Amino acid sequence: MGPVGLSGDGDVLAVRAGGPLRGELRVPGDKSISHRALLLAGLADGISSISGLSDGADVAATAAAIGALGAAVESSGDVLSVRGGELREPQSAIDVGNSGTSIRLLAGIAAGCPFSTTLGGDASVNRRPMDRVAEPLRLMGAEVDGADGGRRAPLRITGGRLRGINWQPPVASAQVKGAVLLAGLFADGETVVRERVPTRAHTEEMLAAFGADVRVAGDEVAVRASRPAPFEFVVPGDPSSAAFWMVGATVVPGSEVTVHDVYHGQGRDGYLRVLARMGADLTVTPSGDRQVRLGCRWAPLRGVTVAAAEVPNLIDEIPVLAVAAAVADGPTRFEGAGELRHKESDRLRSVLEGLAALGAAAEVDGDTLVVHGGAELRSGRVEGAGDHRIAMAFCIGALAAAGEETIISGWRSVATSYPGFLEDLATCRES
Ligand code: S3P
C-alpha cells in the first residue's frame, strides 16, 4: 500500500512512516475567524461577502445557523455572501453538530433576540459544559434553560432586553468572551469582559474592524449596543491547522514545509513559541496584516516546561505538541492543562492513550500533562475519540513511527476542521 490508506467509509486511516515531508501549503481558513465572520455578517444590516472560509463541518454548522435565524446565505465559488440584519425565530432547533464554538457564540446572539432559540449538537457537544456561557447570559437578563439543570445543551434561550455586565470569566475561554461580547451588542449600557489570561482576540478585533462599538484597554474588552456594518473580508489560514505541518516537519527527519498566509495574533502563536523553545528550526515571516508565512525544517528537540498561563494560547495545539514532546530529549510538562478535559474529547486521556499506542510514555499528574520524551515511536492502533485534533495529531506521530502501519479509527472527525488534510499530506510527500 501507499503511505496512507482510508477505509471505504472514510473512518479508519492506515498510515505508515515514509520519506520526509517537503512542500508548500495553504491550510483552510481559520475556524475561529470563519465562525465570527459569519455571525457578524448575520448581524450586519446589508450584504457582506466573505472568502477563504474554513471548509470544515463546524463552520458549515454556523452558516446553516445564521440561515435558520433569518440571514440569506449564498455561495458562489470561494465567496459566501450573507444578507444580514433583522433576525427571526428559527422554525426548529438549531443543530451545531460537533461545534462548541458555534453553540457558545450563537448563545450570545440568541440571548439578545426577543424569541426562543433551541441550540443542540452531537453527543460530544451535549456533554460539554455550557454553564460558563449560560451564567453570564442569565445575569444579562436572558432566560437560559438546558439539560442537567441548565448546565448542558440542548439549550433553550429566550432573549430580549439585556443589560450590560462587568464579567470576569472563571475559565480562560475565547468562546465565553465572544458569547458575552456578542450579547453586549444588544444590551443597555456597557458590557465588559475582564480576562485573567488573555485568550484569542478575534471577537474584539473583528467587531472593531467592522465598525461595532468596542473598546479594548489592558485586560478589559467593552462593548456597547451597536451592530457591525456590512463588510468584505478574506479569512486568513488557520494556525491550528498549520501546527500539524510544523510539528510534522520537525519530527520527520529531512523535512522542510512552508505554510503560507497563516493568521498570527494574540492567543494563536503560543505553539510556535513552545516549538522554538524546544529547539525547532522555525521561521515566521510577516506576509500581511496579522499574517505570516511559516517555515519549519527537521531539528532535534528538547523537553520544556509549558506554564499554565501559556495554555489558553495553545489550547488546540497541545495534542500535536505532545507528539513533538514524545520524541524530544527529556520530559515536557504542560502545566494547568485541565481545560483539555472539556474539548471535543477528554484530550488529556486521548493524548495519553494515543501516545501509549505509539510507544511513548506520558502521565497526568493533577492538571499537568507530563510527556517523558526520548521515545522511539512505533506503529500502533490509535482511537481518534471522535476528536479531529487527536486523529490528526496521531497521524503526524505515525509519520515518525517505525514498524508497520498505524491504524487511526474515527478519522471522519477530521472533516470538523480540515477535510483536505490527506490531500495536503500527499502534496508534502510527493513534491
Ligand atoms: C475557540 C476557542 C477555544 C478553542 C476552540 C475555538 C474560539 O476554546 O479551543 O477550538 O473560536 O473561540 P475555548 O474558548 O473553550 O478555550
Side-chain angles (χ1 to χ4, degrees):
M1 99 168 193
V4 292
L6 201 52
S7 62
D9 65 357
D11 204 38
V12 181
L13 182 80
V15 52
R16 59 170 85 215
L21 302 179
R22 299 184 75 83
E24 308 218 358
L25 295 173
R26 279 193 166 71
V27 291
D30 185 73
K31 180 160 79 70
S32 293
I33 295 175
S34 294
H35 285 299
R36 289 160 174 83
L38 287 167
L39 295 169
L40 295 183
L43 295 178
D45 190 9
I47 298 181
S48 298
S49 67
I50 312 167
S51 52
L53 276 170
S54 160
D55 58 351
D58 277 16
V59 168
T62 292
I66 62 165
L69 282 163
V73 183
E74 261 178 48
S75 77
S76 160
D78 181 45
V79 182
L80 201 84
S81 76
V82 178
R83 180 191 289 278
E86 206 60 31
L87 300 182
R88 60 167 157 69
E89 181 154 4
Q91 284 170 354
S92 53
I94 291 177
D95 181 358
V96 301
N98 190 240
S99 180
T101 309
S102 304
I103 195 167
R104 295 198 178 111
L105 295 182
L106 282 161
I109 290 179
C113 294
F115 48 73
S116 291
T117 306
T118 300
L119 300 167
D122 68 6
S124 154
V125 158
N126 291 349
R127 259 195 316 267
R128 294 174 67 178
M130 293 298 147
D131 39 351
R132 51 184 63 191
V133 285
E135 205 184 317
L137 296 177
R138 284 187 197 115
L139 283 175
M140 293 178 82
E143 241 177 73
V144 186
D145 299 318
D148 189 19
R151 286 187 288 272
R152 290 184 208 274
L155 298 174
R156 184 173 171 79
I157 301 179
T158 308
R161 204 163 174 146
L162 301 181
R163 52 187 170 272
I165 55 171
N166 189 316
W167 182 245
Q168 182 166 61
V171 281
S173 163
Q175 294 174 355
V176 173
K177 172 173 63 176
V180 174
L181 293 176
L182 289 171
L185 297 177
F186 297 84
D188 289 336
E190 196 175 45
T191 299
V192 180
V193 179
R194 284 174 291 122
E195 293 197 286
R196 291 173 223 266
V197 180
T199 62
R200 58 191 74 188
H202 305 306
T203 307
E204 53 270 37
E205 282 177 0
M206 293 171 75
L207 283 172
F210 305 152
D213 187 350
V214 60
R215 173 178 66 77
V216 180
D219 60 357
E220 283 193 3
V221 186
V223 294
R224 285 183 175 276
S226 54
R227 293 290 181 276
F231 54 86
E232 283 184 17
F233 185 67
V234 182
V235 179
D238 194 326
S240 303
S241 300
F244 296 109
W245 308 117
M246 295 298 99
V247 172
T250 212
V251 299
V252 179
S255 295
E256 177 164 9
V257 178
T258 303
V259 186
H260 293 274
D261 304 332
V262 180
Y263 175 86
H264 195 67
Q266 177 184 305
R268 305 303 299 279
D269 56 356
Y271 76 93
L272 294 170
R273 291 187 221 181
V274 170
L275 283 174
R277 287 207 312 267
M278 294 177 84
D281 184 354
L282 280 173
T283 52
V284 180
T285 313
S287 64
D289 181 29
R290 295 198 181 93
Q291 276 188 44
V292 292
R293 182 171 69 243
L294 297 176
C296 189
R297 287 197 293 210
W298 177 84
L301 300 178
R302 57 182 169 270
V304 296
T305 293
V306 177
E310 295 178 83
V311 167
N313 194 343
L314 38 81
I315 190 84
D316 291 333
E317 294 81 33
I318 288 178
V320 78
L321 286 174
V323 167
V327 301
D329 188 16
T332 293
R333 293 170 60 82
F334 297 94
E335 296 178 347
E339 188 56 23
L340 266 79
R341 296 195 174 92
H342 306 296
K343 294 293 174 181
E344 286 83 330
S345 69
D346 172 347
R347 285 187 178 156
L348 290 182
R349 186 168 158 183
S350 318
V351 164
L352 282 188
E353 290 176 359
L355 288 177
L358 297 189
E363 65 193 278
V364 173
D365 176 12
D367 279 347
T368 299
L369 168 66
V370 186
V371 181
H372 291 305
E376 303 262 343
L377 297 182
R378 54 172 164 68
S379 55
R381 299 185 83 85
V382 177
E383 172 47 60
D387 184 334
H388 56 134
R389 298 205 198 275
I390 295 298
M392 290 185 281
F394 287 100
C395 177
I396 294 297
L399 298 176
E404 293 301 304
E405 61 201 31
T406 291
I407 304 294
I408 300 176
S409 53
W411 183 258
R412 268 203 304 261
S413 64
V414 166
T416 291
S417 63
Y418 201 163
F421 180 91
L422 290 180
E423 283 81 23
D424 285 351
L425 173 59
T427 309
C428 291
R429 280 191 147 186
E430 281 165 14
S431 55

